[in-house]
Amino acid sequence: MIRLFIVVAFALAAPIAARAQTGQWVVVTDRWGNKEYSTLNLAADGKIVTGDWDGDALTGTVRGTRFQLTVKDARGTSYGFEGEAGRDGLSGTADFPDGNNPVARVRHAFTARRVPDRPPGGPRVHDFRPTDYANSFTPDRPPVLTIWPGDTVRTTTIDSGGMDAQGVTRALFGNPQTGPFFIAGAAQGDTVIVHIKRLRLNRDWADSLDTIVGRALGSSLVPEAGKLGKPVRWRLDRSAGYATPEGATGALRNFRVPVRPMLGGLALANGFGAPPLSTGDTGRAGGNMDFPEVVEGNSVWLPVQQPGGLLYLGDAHARQGDGETSQYALETSMDVEFTVELIKRKTVPMPRVEIPHRADGARPGRLARRGAQTGEHRADPVAPPGLWAEPLRSGASDGSRGALHRPQSRWAERRRGGADRQGIAAGSGRAIGSDFFSLPSPRTCSGVH
C-alpha cells in the first residue's frame, strides 16, 4: 500500500510541477556579481516545455520538479538553463557562451520568480499607499505592486526632501520616489505610456530656495550671489489655486503665482550594464526630468529596458518654470492617479510627452526636442512609431508651436483604441489628436530637485 502511494504520488508530481511552471517568469542571472534580469515565457505540456527567453525560442523538458531548457537565438548561439522548481520559484544554473572566447562556455547561478496571472474582469483600479521610498531608479528594488496594461493606480508622493503631507520625514532627501510598479508583459524593446489622470496637492505649503544655479548665474549677478541661498516657504491656497511666498515684503508683498502641479521624477529602470541612476539624474528611460509638461492630462512615453519596466514617480512640484534655475521648484507632496498602456515591440529613443489637443480643436504643440532645463526648442527628426511630424514652423501668431499630424499618403497607422492597447494598428491616416515633446538626456542644468 505504501509502495503504491509512492508510485501514484510520483506519477502526479510531473503534471502538477509542469502546470506550476507554465506562465511568465522574471529571471535573475548572477553574472560575476552583476544581476541581469530577463523574461521567460513557459508553456508546459506534460514533460515537454516550450516558450521563449526574451523573445528567443526555447524547448525543454520537466521531470518532477527538475527542468532543463535550451535556447537558440537568431544567430544560432545556444544558451541553457537547468534547475529545480521550488516553493519560492525556480533556481539552478545557466550555461552561457563566453563572450571573449567563442569555444568556451561559462556557468552562472540564476533564480526566477513567477509573474502573477492577470486577474479576470478587465482593467482594475489599485489604491497603493507607500511605506518606504527609493533614492535610485534601480532594477534591484522589489516591485511594490504588479499592474497590467489598462490598470489605474492611485498613490501618493513625498517631497524632494523626504517629507510627507503631514510634514513628517519618511525618506532620505534627494527626490525619493514611489515605486517601482511592475507592469506585467512589458519587456525590453516595448514602450510604456503613463497617462497622468490626476495630480492634486495634498498639503498647504511648499519649499523653495532664493538662489540661482551656477550655470544660470551671469557675471552681473555674481557680486550679489553671496546674499542668496535662503530657504523660502510658500503657502498653497488649494481652493483658489495660488501659491504665495510666506512673509514676503516690499515688491513681493502681494506676489502670487497660479499652481500647476507636475511630477519632476518619472522613470523606468535602466538596462543591464548601466549603473542605476540616482533620483537626481536622468537617462534614456526618464528620471529626474523636471519637465514642466509632465502634468495632469498629458502622457509620458518611456522605453522599456527591464522586465516589467519598473516605473518610479515622485519629486512633485506645485509650480515650476521651464527649468529649476533656483535649484528648487515649489517642492511639495502630492496625490497621483495614473493609467499605464503598453505598446509591444515598438520603442522610442528617449522620453516623450504627449499633449492632447485642446477641446476647441486647435493643436498647440509639435514634435520637438525641448531642453528640459533651458527651454530650448529644436527639430527632432525621430518620430515615435507610426507618427510623423511636419516641418517645424518658426512660430505662429497665436503662440502655437506647429502641429503634429499624419499626411494622408504615409504612416497610415494609429494606436488601437481601448484600455488595453498593445501595438500599432492600421488606421485612417487622420490627425492623431495630440502633440509630442521629446526630452533630452542627460539633463542640461545642475539643479537636482
Side-chain angles (χ1 to χ4, degrees):
M1 183 69 177
I2 295 176
R3 184 175 300 171
L4 177 62
F5 174 78
I6 293 173
V7 171
V8 172
F10 181 80
L12 291 175
I16 291 173
R19 288 197 301 272
Q21 292 166 13
T22 294
Q24 186 174 91
W25 298 78
V26 175
V27 180
V28 185
T29 306
D30 184 352
R31 301 187 66 179
W32 297 284
N34 302 284
K35 293 181 179 179
E36 181 180 26
Y37 297 87
S38 56
T39 303
L40 273 176
N41 290 298
L42 301 180
D45 183 7
K47 296 180 180 180
I48 303 301
V49 180
T50 57
D52 70 85
W53 176 52
D54 276 355
D56 292 320
L58 67 81
T59 58
T61 58
V62 57
R63 297 181 183 277
T65 59
R66 300 288 303 177
F67 64 89
Q68 179 274 329
L69 306 173
T70 300
V71 182
K72 186 166 288 188
D73 67 16
R75 296 175 295 179
T77 305
S78 295
Y79 300 79
F81 296 89
E82 60 180 9
E84 188 169 8
R87 179 176 300 177
D88 298 326
L90 308 180
S91 60
T93 303
D95 179 73
F96 284 7
D98 185 338
N100 295 313
N101 185 344
V103 299
R105 307 286 296 184
V106 291
R107 294 173 69 82
H108 307 287
F110 80 90
T111 59
R113 68 170 184 87
R114 194 176 186 279
V115 178
D117 293 327
R118 182 167 194 162
R124 294 190 168 197
V125 177
H126 306 268
D127 288 298
F128 175 72
R129 294 294 173 262
T131 57
D132 60 359
Y133 302 86
N135 283 83
S136 66
F137 301 109
T138 175
D140 300 328
R141 182 177 170 87
V144 297
L145 184 68
T146 297
I147 58 178
W148 286 263
D151 282 2
T152 296
V153 177
R154 296 187 296 218
T155 188
T156 61
T157 69
I158 55 179
D159 70 18
S160 64
M163 284 196 294
D164 65 11
Q166 288 72 45
V168 177
T169 299
R170 300 291 184 185
L172 183 67
F173 61 88
N175 307 319
Q177 304 283 305
T178 300
F181 298 92
F182 185 95
I183 303 163
Q188 186 174 7
D190 298 343
T191 295
V192 164
I193 307 176
V194 183
H195 300 287
I196 303 173
K197 299 295 187 181
R198 187 173 183 271
L199 294 179
R200 292 292 184 273
L201 305 175
N202 59 16
R203 72 187 193 197
D204 296 327
W205 53 276
D207 283 328
S208 189
L209 198 65
D210 76 334
T211 192
I212 300 176
V213 296
R215 293 186 183 184
L217 194 63
S219 58
S220 62
L221 296 175
V222 170
E224 303 296 325
K227 302 175 184 178
L228 303 176
K230 298 182 294 296
V232 178
R233 174 65 56 90
W234 290 69
R235 286 296 156 192
L236 304 178
D237 186 336
R238 289 185 280 173
S239 59
Y242 282 92
T244 306
E246 195 174 76
T249 60
L252 295 179
R253 181 176 180 181
N254 297 315
F255 179 75
R256 66 176 189 171
V257 295
V259 299
R260 191 173 186 245
M262 57 158 287
L263 292 174
L266 190 69
L268 302 180
N270 58 348
F272 179 67
L277 289 173
S278 94
T279 49
D281 206 352
T282 296
R284 287 188 57 244
N288 185 41
M289 298 181 289
D290 287 331
F291 185 61
E293 298 304 323
V294 183
V295 296
E296 181 177 313
N298 291 350
S299 301
V300 182
W301 295 45
L302 300 170
V304 178
Q305 300 184 20
Q306 293 283 2
L310 302 174
L311 175 65
Y312 291 87
L313 56 98
D315 186 28
H317 300 159
R319 180 79 193 203
Q320 182 196 287
D322 279 346
E324 289 185 318
T325 53
S326 67
Q327 190 174 333
Y328 281 58
L330 300 191
E331 312 286 334
T332 192
S333 57
M334 202 161 296
D335 294 334
V336 180
E337 181 177 330
F338 66 90
T339 300
V340 294
E341 180 180 348
L342 180 63
I343 296 180
K344 294 296 294 180
R345 295 174 293 280
K346 299 284 186 178
T347 190
V348 289
M350 61 184 69
R352 298 179 185 272
V353 176
E354 181 182 4
I355 303 174
H357 294 169
R358 296 195 299 261
D360 60 6
R363 296 191 293 265
R366 65 178 179 183
L367 183 67
R369 178 170 292 163
R370 175 172 182 168
Q373 305 300 322
T374 65
E376 177 186 0
H377 295 72
R378 61 186 184 273
D380 183 353
V382 183
L387 304 181
W388 178 87
E390 68 175 346
L392 296 176
R393 297 191 290 267
S394 59
S397 58
D398 62 356
S400 67
R401 305 188 189 96
L404 173 67
H405 69 93
R406 304 174 189 278
Q408 295 298 316
S409 60
R410 300 183 61 200
W411 301 107
E413 301 169 325
R414 62 182 174 85
R415 290 189 285 116
R416 182 161 61 245
D420 193 10
R421 292 174 289 180
Q422 294 190 356
I424 304 293
S428 63
R430 61 177 174 76
I432 66 168
S434 58
D435 303 289
F436 279 82
F437 287 105
S438 177
L439 308 186
S441 172
R443 299 178 62 203
T444 57
C445 190
S446 59
V448 296
H449 289 275

